[in-house]
Amino acid sequence: MASAVQKIKLSPSRDIPFNKLVLSQSNVRRVKAGISIEQLAKSIAQRTLLQSLSVRAVVDASGQETGMFEVPAGGRRYRALELLVKEKRMAKTQPVPCVVRDDGIAEDDSLAENDERVGLHPLDQFRAFQSLRDGGMSEEEISARHFVTPAIVKQRLRLASVSPKLHEVYAEDGMTLEQLMAFSVTADQARQEQVWDSVSGSQLDEPYQIRRVLTENTVRASDRRAQFIGLDAYEQAGGTVMRDLFEHDDGGWLQDVPLLDRLVTEKLKGEADTIAAEGWKWIAAAVDFPYGNTNGLRELDGQPADLTEEERATLDALNAEHAKMEEDYQDADELPDEIDQRLGEIEAARSVLEARSLVYNPAEIARAGIFISIDAEGLLSITRGYVRPEDEAPAVVDPESDAQGDGETSEGQKTNGPVRRAVITAGRTCRGRRGRRHRQAAAGPARHRADRASHVGVAQRTGKRPGSRLPGGCVYRKPYPS
């Protein structure tokens, strides 16, 4: 006859007043890790104690119980409860749920409790955060209750929104966490699954390659077109922006490229309508123009516009401040950081004032045109004063002089009749470098940048530090935005 299987007997549990508990020296945990005691105390205050303490009766020399109990497993919880008592947020006689052990070894209990504890799988945590969010908790509330930053909450919620199919692949170790992060760049689950089916098992499944495929038909937020109209205007028009919460993304990717191009064209057209009031015959507007677009056109010679009284006063004040600083620190080997920064600001402000717009002959304006484009930083670029061959004034020949028979045109010819509105053409994006006129437009500021570059070169060759004085009295300053 088979013997009966011995039944397992669980240790009894009871509520013990906190002031009858003491921390045991048998607790194997010595190194601090995980959330702090203060955070654990806050969690207990919010949720009460979720896990009982493991305790053993304290006995005297004769082996008799003293009425006190030591805690070999659950030391962090004990310290958190102790902190709540010290802060007078919990009574010292508060009953604490405990499991009372009377056999085995205390150190073995402590080690087993820590060794056999399994941390939550990341996917379970993502889904748990999503459940809390669906239950009405805000991201800030989740952050506060679980001791993580709001940014981490956003990241985990984003990972929870990835296709369930990819979640299962990740749960079965068929995909790395970094790959799952890469898929979170788009909210289109069907697209996520399509890309995974395409790249899984290939040599093209690195996270950066996955991101590249998912964003191949988008435009970066750092693109000149996006900078020109601004993300706010794009989103207000119904456009969506894909963001990567795990890698630096330069502001993200704009998904609706046709909408972006339409907004850019409309804004360029609006700028052209405003400039048309100057009286130009034609205006060509595009995101960019190819190299050599001004070949065959005559460039007008304009005169720099005079400074207004206010601008002249500003420039004089900047020059005076610059001269005083140079005089005050002429004997210093190095400039203080604040002085170096201010000198850079003065030079940048002077460059703007010295880069004057040009004034043209009204008669020439009536037969010339303008190119409007967007520069690399997303700012409007306007290059004025180009005459097409067909718009040149007819040659006037003096029959009494052969010297004027070489096709020279008359200057200052006036147009008759009402001023015609400029013909505006707004083209699509033209790739390529811009022409000579565009490069000349920045000649003023470029001169200062070139001077500064030469100073930097001298400083680097001579081992000078920023703020040091160079040969000839120049001061090597830290770079400033141009």
Side-chain angles (χ1 to χ4, degrees):
M1 182 175 179
S3 60
V5 177
Q6 185 177 2
K7 304 297 184 183
I8 296 174
K9 182 180 178 181
L10 299 179
S11 299
S13 61
R14 56 183 284 196
D15 291 343
I16 302 175
F18 178 76
N19 60 351
K20 297 296 182 181
L21 301 175
V22 293
L23 191 61
S24 172
Q25 295 303 311
S26 300
N27 193 306
V28 300
R29 185 185 290 274
R30 296 285 188 270
V31 180
K32 295 181 179 179
I35 66 172
S36 67
I37 298 300
E38 291 75 14
Q39 291 172 326
L40 184 54
K42 184 177 180 180
S43 176
I44 293 174
Q46 291 174 339
R47 306 176 179 88
T48 74
L49 192 63
L50 299 179
Q51 184 178 354
S52 301
L53 304 183
S54 177
V55 302
R56 290 174 176 269
V58 177
V59 297
D60 58 20
S62 62
Q64 298 297 314
E65 294 187 6
T66 62
M68 299 294 291
F69 294 83
E70 62 178 0
V71 184
R76 282 168 46 81
R77 279 162 279 157
Y78 173 85
R79 289 191 181 92
L81 293 171
E82 184 180 45
L83 178 60
L84 292 173
V85 171
K86 185 180 298 185
E87 294 176 346
K88 301 187 182 303
R89 301 175 66 189
M90 189 182 84
K92 63 181 180 180
T93 57
Q94 168 68 43
V96 178
C98 299
V99 174
V100 182
R101 296 275 292 147
D102 57 8
D103 58 1
I105 303 173
E107 288 84 356
D108 183 61
D109 290 349
S110 178
L111 180 60
E113 183 183 81
N114 288 280
D115 266 353
E116 296 169 7
R117 180 173 50 194
V118 178
L120 199 64
H121 190 282
L123 183 58
D124 291 327
Q125 188 181 61
F126 308 154
R127 289 168 172 167
F129 273 39
Q130 185 64 59
S131 296
L132 295 178
R133 187 72 178 87
D134 294 341
M137 273 194 195
S138 68
E139 293 172 0
E140 291 72 20
E141 289 174 324
I142 298 174
S143 167
R145 290 180 66 87
H146 293 275
F147 313 109
V148 294
T149 64
I152 290 178
V153 175
K154 290 179 183 294
Q155 289 177 336
R156 293 174 182 174
L157 290 174
R158 175 68 69 83
L159 290 169
S161 69
V162 174
S163 165
K165 176 182 176 181
L166 300 191
H167 279 172
E168 295 305 317
V169 175
Y170 171 57
E172 296 171 1
D173 295 329
M175 175 189 300
T176 66
L177 179 58
E178 289 70 24
Q179 288 173 314
L180 190 68
M181 290 176 179
F183 279 106
S184 72
V185 75
T186 178
D188 187 343
Q189 294 185 350
R191 178 63 174 156
Q192 293 169 354
E193 295 173 8
Q194 179 187 27
V195 172
W196 175 248
D197 291 340
S198 173
V199 304
S200 61
S202 71
Q203 300 298 316
L204 303 174
D205 60 352
E206 290 295 326
Y208 78 90
Q209 294 170 317
I210 293 171
R211 285 184 175 90
R212 184 172 60 194
V213 174
L214 289 170
T215 60
E216 62 185 354
N217 295 320
T218 64
V219 172
R220 276 194 173 274
S222 56
D223 184 275
R224 69 178 69 186
R225 291 168 290 172
Q227 293 290 316
F228 180 59
I229 65 167
L231 290 183
D232 289 342
Y234 168 78
E235 291 179 316
Q236 289 173 6
T240 55
V241 180
M242 299 165 55
R243 297 303 307 266
D244 191 338
L245 299 185
F246 303 96
E247 297 280 347
H248 179 64
D249 62 3
D250 286 332
W253 296 265
L254 284 65
Q255 283 188 277
D256 196 337
V257 181
L259 172 63
L260 172 64
D261 288 336
R262 176 173 66 81
L263 294 174
V264 169
T265 300
E266 291 175 354
K267 186 172 181 179
L268 284 173
K269 183 68 163 52
E271 297 287 355
D273 287 338
T274 301
I275 298 173
E278 298 177 11
W280 301 95
K281 182 174 183 179
W282 52 267
I283 298 175
V287 173
D288 200 2
F289 292 98
Y291 177 72
N293 66 298
T294 59
N295 290 346
L297 306 183
R298 177 170 64 88
E299 183 178 355
L300 299 182
D301 293 325
Q303 296 298 321
D306 294 331
L307 292 171
T308 65
E309 293 184 4
E310 181 179 357
E311 290 172 333
R312 172 56 63 186
T314 299
L315 183 58
D316 291 343
L318 291 172
N319 288 335
E321 183 180 1
H322 189 280
K324 186 177 185 308
M325 286 185 175
E326 289 284 3
E327 181 180 357
D328 291 344
Y329 293 93
Q330 61 181 345
D331 297 326
D333 291 332
E334 293 187 8
L335 296 177
D337 288 344
E338 62 275 12
I339 299 300
D340 178 72
Q341 179 180 353
R342 180 54 187 159
L343 286 173
E345 293 171 350
I346 291 174
E347 290 186 5
R350 292 197 307 189
S351 296
V352 172
L353 290 172
E354 292 170 359
R356 307 301 301 161
S357 59
L358 301 179
V359 178
Y360 299 95
N361 185 325
E364 293 275 48
I365 289 178
R367 55 174 168 259
I370 299 176
F371 293 101
I372 298 178
S373 60
I374 305 172
D375 68 15
E377 286 73 38
L379 301 176
L380 191 68
S381 174
I382 305 172
T383 54
R384 294 174 170 85
Y386 286 94
V387 181
R388 294 167 175 165
E390 61 270 25
D391 296 329
E392 292 284 6
V396 178
V397 180
D398 185 351
E400 299 180 357
S401 174
D402 292 336
Q404 294 186 4
D406 57 0
E408 293 183 357
T409 60
S410 62
E411 297 295 333
Q413 180 176 346
K414 298 183 179 180
T415 58
N416 297 321
V419 177
R420 293 181 298 177
R421 184 170 178 80
V423 176
I424 300 174
T425 57
R428 300 182 65 181
T429 303
C430 296
R431 300 295 182 185
R433 297 170 56 196
R434 276 159 286 203
R436 178 171 57 93
R437 176 64 176 173
H438 176 81
R439 295 193 296 275
Q440 291 176 341
R447 174 170 55 83
H448 293 279
R449 288 195 294 271
D451 292 343
R452 189 167 183 82
S454 66
H455 295 168
V456 172
V458 172
Q460 292 175 338
R461 289 193 300 273
T462 58
K464 293 288 186 179
R465 297 175 56 193
S468 302
R469 190 167 299 279
L470 304 176
C474 298
V475 176
Y476 169 39
R477 289 188 292 278
K478 299 174 183 176
Y480 57 90
S482 58

